[in-house]
Amino acid sequence: LLYHLPCFPITTDANGNELPTRVTQVANLKNQGKWYNNKAMCEANGHKWEGWRYGAPRFDTEDPKPQAPACEKGSFGRINHLGNVQSSTVPDPKSAAGVADLTAIPHRNNANRFIWTIPTKPKTSTQQEWDNCVVRLRYNISTGDYPAWDDNGAPLYNSSFNNLPPIKQDPYITIGPDPEQDFVSLALNTNQYGRTFQDRSYVFAIKPDPRTDAQKDAGKVVYNLNVRGKRGNIVQTYPAVEYDFVPNDLNVNKGDHIH
């Protein structure tokens, strides 16, 4: 859980007096999604870069301490592709097994996926705190039809552009010398440009690791075997898939666990 932004806003003068104009400026930047997301821009605009912090302040003394979430590049898939892709599996860089995950779970050609290593429950946490974990999954579509961000990742378009959008629904364009006569309409549906198709949240619990200290020291791993898809044949379940195991293949060692 991120409990404050890495760029800490400075809204007071050298004597600690609050600057109303500065406060308004900061609020507007945050509301428009333009708040600084890197050290150079943060400090250049007179603010303090504190870096990313995760978890509530009381988590600072936990063992192990909360880690920043992984931010990894997924495998390439063509636009609106619902099938498998090459090199589909992205290993969790924070996993103790690391690249070994790709040996245990052969990626071959599958739907794009990320191997997540379930975090260890800190010794100072209660089980009740780990009985209500939340995962949010969003299927977003970005577009290259217009420059949506600058080189620093700052949005170039926001709600202030509602009266002058970069794209328009079924626009008319001129194709000849007479704009009153030589024009056509483009079949352009703005619903298909830069949008969120799915946004789902799930609540789950993380239970204590069943392995003994000796098993952990010996490198024994717990693999979480799941199912995907829904009932029916491939036509009936489209755009989902038929019931299947995830992962399809597991190369496990003697003494490993499968949940």
Side-chain angles (χ1 to χ4, degrees):
L1 174 65
L2 173 66
Y3 76 90
H4 70 68
L5 295 171
C7 183
F8 184 78
I10 303 299
T11 57
T12 58
D13 59 20
N15 297 319
N17 300 313
E18 189 170 78
L19 304 172
T21 303
R22 186 81 164 173
V23 172
T24 302
Q25 180 191 42
V26 169
N28 289 338
L29 287 173
K30 290 183 178 180
N31 290 335
Q32 295 173 6
K34 292 182 177 181
W35 188 242
Y36 311 111
N37 62 0
N38 62 80
K39 187 174 186 292
M41 293 180 65
C42 177
E43 295 180 345
N45 286 277
H47 301 289
K48 181 182 179 182
W49 181 260
E50 293 190 340
W52 296 98
R53 292 283 299 280
Y54 297 87
R58 65 180 181 80
F59 289 169
D60 290 344
T61 59
E62 286 198 340
D63 179 22
K65 292 183 179 180
Q67 293 181 313
C71 184
E72 299 298 315
K73 181 180 179 180
S75 299
F76 173 79
R78 62 178 175 82
I79 296 174
N80 207 28
H81 180 54
L82 298 175
N84 295 338
V85 298
Q86 292 183 334
S87 302
S88 57
T89 304
V90 177
D92 186 346
K94 299 182 181 304
S95 167
V99 180
D101 285 339
L102 296 182
T103 302
I105 305 175
H107 58 274
R108 297 193 180 95
N109 294 333
N110 288 282
N112 268 331
R113 59 190 186 182
F114 175 78
I115 300 179
W116 180 51
T117 302
I118 298 175
T120 301
K121 185 179 81 67
K123 299 175 182 178
T124 53
S125 293
T126 64
Q127 183 56 49
Q128 184 179 6
E129 293 175 312
W130 288 75
D131 282 342
N132 290 287
C133 301
V134 177
V135 59
R136 182 181 182 185
L137 304 175
R138 301 188 70 187
Y139 170 27
N140 294 336
I141 291 293
S142 300
T143 181
D145 293 275
Y146 58 89
W149 302 274
D150 64 18
D151 293 339
N152 293 313
L156 294 177
Y157 292 94
N158 52 66
S159 59
S160 66
F161 286 83
N162 285 344
N163 295 326
L164 188 64
I167 54 175
K168 295 182 179 180
Q169 184 81 17
D170 299 330
Y172 289 98
I173 63 169
T174 301
I175 59 172
D178 185 356
E180 298 296 329
Q181 298 290 331
D182 305 325
F183 63 88
V184 296
S185 174
L186 297 179
L188 192 156
N189 184 355
T190 56
N191 285 342
Q192 302 299 319
Y193 289 75
R195 58 173 284 193
T196 299
F197 279 84
Q198 301 285 342
D199 190 347
R200 306 294 173 87
S201 296
Y202 302 90
V203 178
F204 64 100
I206 295 179
K207 300 299 182 182
D209 193 329
R211 295 173 297 171
T212 65
D213 290 339
Q215 289 173 325
K216 295 177 183 178
D217 293 340
K220 303 306 179 184
V221 182
V222 180
Y223 293 102
N224 193 20
L225 184 62
N226 290 282
V227 294
R228 67 172 181 174
K230 58 184 180 180
R231 186 174 63 183
N233 62 42
I234 193 61
V235 176
Q236 294 168 323
T237 62
Y238 181 87
V241 295
E242 303 158 296
Y243 269 134
D244 198 4
F245 286 108
V246 177
N248 298 107
D249 304 294
L250 271 177
N251 296 327
V252 299
N253 297 313
K254 184 178 180 180
D256 285 341
H257 296 61
I258 299 178
H259 177 267

Short mmCIF file of all heavy atoms in Angstrom, two decimals, residues 70-93:
data_model
loop_
_atom_site.label_atom_id
_atom_site.label_comp_id
_atom_site.label_asym_id
_atom_site.label_seq_id
_atom_site.Cartn_x
_atom_site.Cartn_y
_atom_site.Cartn_z
N ALA A 70 6.48 -4.81 -8.21
CA ALA A 70 7.25 -4.99 -9.44
C ALA A 70 6.58 -4.22 -10.57
O ALA A 70 5.36 -4.15 -10.65
CB ALA A 70 7.34 -6.47 -9.79
N CYS A 71 7.38 -3.64 -11.42
CA CYS A 71 6.88 -2.94 -12.60
C CYS A 71 7.65 -3.51 -13.79
O CYS A 71 8.80 -3.12 -14.04
CB CYS A 71 7.08 -1.43 -12.48
SG CYS A 71 6.39 -0.49 -13.85
N GLU A 72 7.05 -4.46 -14.50
CA GLU A 72 7.75 -5.21 -15.54
C GLU A 72 7.08 -5.03 -16.90
O GLU A 72 5.87 -4.79 -16.99
CB GLU A 72 7.77 -6.70 -15.18
CG GLU A 72 8.49 -7.01 -13.88
CD GLU A 72 9.95 -6.64 -13.92
OE1 GLU A 72 10.62 -6.95 -14.93
OE2 GLU A 72 10.43 -6.04 -12.95
N LYS A 73 7.87 -5.15 -17.94
CA LYS A 73 7.36 -5.06 -19.30
C LYS A 73 6.84 -6.43 -19.74
O LYS A 73 7.54 -7.43 -19.64
CB LYS A 73 8.47 -4.60 -20.25
CG LYS A 73 8.02 -4.44 -21.69
CD LYS A 73 9.19 -3.99 -22.57
CE LYS A 73 8.74 -3.84 -24.03
NZ LYS A 73 9.87 -3.41 -24.89
N GLY A 74 5.59 -6.46 -20.17
CA GLY A 74 5.00 -7.71 -20.63
C GLY A 74 5.45 -8.06 -22.04
O GLY A 74 6.09 -7.26 -22.73
N SER A 75 5.13 -9.27 -22.47
CA SER A 75 5.48 -9.71 -23.81
C SER A 75 4.61 -9.02 -24.85
O SER A 75 3.47 -8.63 -24.58
CB SER A 75 5.32 -11.23 -23.93
OG SER A 75 6.16 -11.89 -23.02
N PHE A 76 5.15 -8.88 -26.03
CA PHE A 76 4.42 -8.18 -27.10
C PHE A 76 3.30 -9.05 -27.65
O PHE A 76 3.46 -10.25 -27.85
CB PHE A 76 5.37 -7.81 -28.24
CG PHE A 76 4.66 -7.23 -29.44
CD1 PHE A 76 4.24 -5.91 -29.44
CD2 PHE A 76 4.40 -8.02 -30.55
CE1 PHE A 76 3.58 -5.38 -30.54
CE2 PHE A 76 3.73 -7.50 -31.64
CZ PHE A 76 3.32 -6.18 -31.65
N GLY A 77 2.16 -8.44 -27.86
CA GLY A 77 1.05 -9.10 -28.54
C GLY A 77 0.40 -8.09 -29.47
O GLY A 77 0.33 -6.90 -29.15
N ARG A 78 -0.04 -8.53 -30.62
CA ARG A 78 -0.62 -7.57 -31.57
C ARG A 78 -1.92 -6.98 -31.00
O ARG A 78 -2.51 -7.52 -30.06
CB ARG A 78 -0.88 -8.24 -32.92
CG ARG A 78 -1.87 -9.39 -32.89
CD ARG A 78 -2.09 -9.96 -34.30
NE ARG A 78 -2.93 -11.13 -34.29
CZ ARG A 78 -4.25 -11.10 -34.26
NH1 ARG A 78 -4.89 -9.95 -34.20
NH2 ARG A 78 -4.95 -12.23 -34.26
N ILE A 79 -2.36 -5.90 -31.60
CA ILE A 79 -3.52 -5.16 -31.11
C ILE A 79 -4.76 -6.04 -31.06
O ILE A 79 -5.07 -6.75 -32.02
CB ILE A 79 -3.76 -3.92 -32.01
CG1 ILE A 79 -2.58 -2.95 -31.91
CG2 ILE A 79 -5.05 -3.22 -31.61
CD1 ILE A 79 -2.67 -1.79 -32.85
N ASN A 80 -5.46 -5.99 -29.93
CA ASN A 80 -6.72 -6.72 -29.74
C ASN A 80 -6.56 -8.21 -29.96
O ASN A 80 -7.48 -8.89 -30.44
CB ASN A 80 -7.81 -6.16 -30.67
CG ASN A 80 -9.20 -6.37 -30.09
OD1 ASN A 80 -9.38 -6.43 -28.88
ND2 ASN A 80 -10.19 -6.49 -30.95
N HIS A 81 -5.41 -8.74 -29.61
CA HIS A 81 -5.13 -10.17 -29.80
C HIS A 81 -5.62 -10.95 -28.58
O HIS A 81 -5.22 -10.68 -27.46
CB HIS A 81 -3.63 -10.37 -29.99
CG HIS A 81 -3.24 -11.80 -30.20
ND1 HIS A 81 -3.80 -12.59 -31.17
CD2 HIS A 81 -2.35 -12.59 -29.55
CE1 HIS A 81 -3.27 -13.80 -31.12
NE2 HIS A 81 -2.39 -13.82 -30.14
N LEU A 82 -6.49 -11.94 -28.81
CA LEU A 82 -7.05 -12.71 -27.71
C LEU A 82 -6.38 -14.06 -27.54
O LEU A 82 -6.78 -14.85 -26.69
CB LEU A 82 -8.56 -12.91 -27.93
CG LEU A 82 -9.39 -11.63 -27.97
CD1 LEU A 82 -10.84 -11.94 -28.30
CD2 LEU A 82 -9.30 -10.89 -26.65
N GLY A 83 -5.38 -14.36 -28.34
CA GLY A 83 -4.73 -15.67 -28.29
C GLY A 83 -3.43 -15.66 -27.52
O GLY A 83 -3.13 -14.74 -26.76
N ASN A 84 -2.64 -16.71 -27.73
CA ASN A 84 -1.36 -16.86 -27.04
C ASN A 84 -0.28 -16.01 -27.72
O ASN A 84 -0.41 -15.62 -28.89
CB ASN A 84 -0.92 -18.32 -27.03
CG ASN A 84 -1.86 -19.17 -26.21
OD1 ASN A 84 -2.57 -18.67 -25.35
ND2 ASN A 84 -1.88 -20.47 -26.47
N VAL A 85 0.78 -15.75 -26.98
CA VAL A 85 1.92 -15.00 -27.51
C VAL A 85 3.20 -15.74 -27.18
O VAL A 85 3.23 -16.62 -26.31
CB VAL A 85 1.99 -13.57 -26.93
CG1 VAL A 85 0.75 -12.78 -27.30
CG2 VAL A 85 2.16 -13.61 -25.42
N GLN A 86 4.27 -15.42 -27.86
CA GLN A 86 5.57 -16.02 -27.58
C GLN A 86 6.17 -15.40 -26.33
O GLN A 86 5.95 -14.24 -26.03
CB GLN A 86 6.51 -15.84 -28.77
CG GLN A 86 6.11 -16.62 -30.01
CD GLN A 86 7.12 -16.45 -31.14
OE1 GLN A 86 7.82 -15.45 -31.20
NE2 GLN A 86 7.20 -17.44 -32.01
N SER A 87 6.96 -16.20 -25.62
CA SER A 87 7.63 -15.73 -24.40
C SER A 87 6.63 -15.02 -23.50
O SER A 87 6.83 -13.88 -23.07
CB SER A 87 8.79 -14.79 -24.75
OG SER A 87 9.72 -15.44 -25.59
N SER A 88 5.54 -15.71 -23.21
CA SER A 88 4.40 -15.07 -22.56
C SER A 88 4.60 -14.81 -21.08
O SER A 88 3.91 -14.00 -20.49
CB SER A 88 3.16 -15.95 -22.73
OG SER A 88 3.41 -17.26 -22.22
N THR A 89 5.55 -15.52 -20.44
CA THR A 89 5.65 -15.46 -18.99
C THR A 89 6.71 -14.46 -18.54
O THR A 89 7.84 -14.49 -18.99
CB THR A 89 6.00 -16.84 -18.41
OG1 THR A 89 5.00 -17.78 -18.85
CG2 THR A 89 6.02 -16.82 -16.90
N VAL A 90 6.31 -13.57 -17.63
CA VAL A 90 7.24 -12.62 -17.02
C VAL A 90 7.48 -13.07 -15.59
O VAL A 90 6.54 -13.13 -14.79
CB VAL A 90 6.67 -11.20 -17.04
CG1 VAL A 90 7.61 -10.24 -16.34
CG2 VAL A 90 6.41 -10.74 -18.47
N PRO A 91 8.73 -13.43 -15.22
CA PRO A 91 8.98 -13.88 -13.85
C PRO A 91 8.97 -12.73 -12.87
O PRO A 91 9.28 -11.58 -13.23
CB PRO A 91 10.38 -14.51 -13.94
CG PRO A 91 11.03 -13.77 -15.07
CD PRO A 91 9.94 -13.46 -16.06
N ASP A 92 8.59 -13.00 -11.64
CA ASP A 92 8.60 -11.99 -10.59
C ASP A 92 10.05 -11.72 -10.19
O ASP A 92 10.74 -12.60 -9.69
CB ASP A 92 7.80 -12.51 -9.38
CG ASP A 92 7.64 -11.45 -8.30
OD1 ASP A 92 8.34 -10.43 -8.36
OD2 ASP A 92 6.81 -11.65 -7.40
N PRO A 93 10.56 -10.50 -10.42
CA PRO A 93 11.96 -10.22 -10.09
C PRO A 93 12.26 -10.30 -8.60
O PRO A 93 13.40 -10.40 -8.19
CB PRO A 93 12.17 -8.80 -10.63
CG PRO A 93 10.81 -8.19 -10.61
CD PRO A 93 9.86 -9.31 -10.92
#
